[in-house]
Amino acid sequence: MKRILIAAAVLGAASVHAQGTPSDLPKPKCEKPQMPGEMMRSEPSVTKRFNQDVDRWEKCMKAYIDERQAAMKANEEAANAAIKDYNDTIKALNEAGKGR
């Protein structure tokens, strides 16, 4: 049983390493909207352009977040599959060893 817990910890640490450090991960390439100056905010065309910039940035950020969450889910599923494979193998080896 101790082997299983140790393996789970090792595999968990390995999956964190495989994902990379935060500095290795791609950063969002979304251009942040710039708030117009106070005098320009009264201009309808400036307000409209600003609102479009906010919408564009929001869509870009949501797409980035969705992409990162999908990567996290894939990493978690891969780690869980590796843990299951390890546990199943150790169990089979332990059961086979009892017959000796």
Side-chain angles (χ1 to χ4, degrees):
M1 188 63 160
K2 286 183 182 179
R3 285 184 185 174
I4 293 172
L5 294 175
I6 291 170
V10 169
L11 288 171
S15 71
V16 169
H17 178 71
Q19 291 177 20
T21 61
S23 62
D24 295 338
L25 298 174
K27 304 240 186 283
K29 295 179 180 173
C30 308
E31 189 174 331
K32 291 183 181 180
Q34 299 296 316
M35 178 66 81
E38 192 173 334
M39 296 289 286
M40 295 299 291
R41 285 185 223 156
S42 61
E43 288 293 322
S45 63
V46 172
T47 301
K48 181 179 179 181
R49 192 173 333 114
F50 173 71
N51 289 336
Q52 290 171 340
D53 290 346
V54 170
D55 289 342
R56 192 173 14 261
W57 175 78
E58 182 179 30
K59 287 177 187 172
C60 181
M61 289 299 290
K62 285 181 178 182
Y64 172 82
I65 292 165
D66 289 345
E67 178 183 308
R68 300 308 328 143
Q69 287 177 331
M72 289 187 319
K73 184 177 181 192
N75 286 330
E76 181 180 24
E77 288 172 356
N80 287 339
I83 290 168
K84 182 182 181 329
D85 182 42
Y86 175 87
N87 289 339
D88 292 347
T89 302
I90 292 297
K91 182 179 177 182
L93 292 172
N94 286 337
E95 288 175 0
K98 289 180 185 178
R100 288 192 238 166

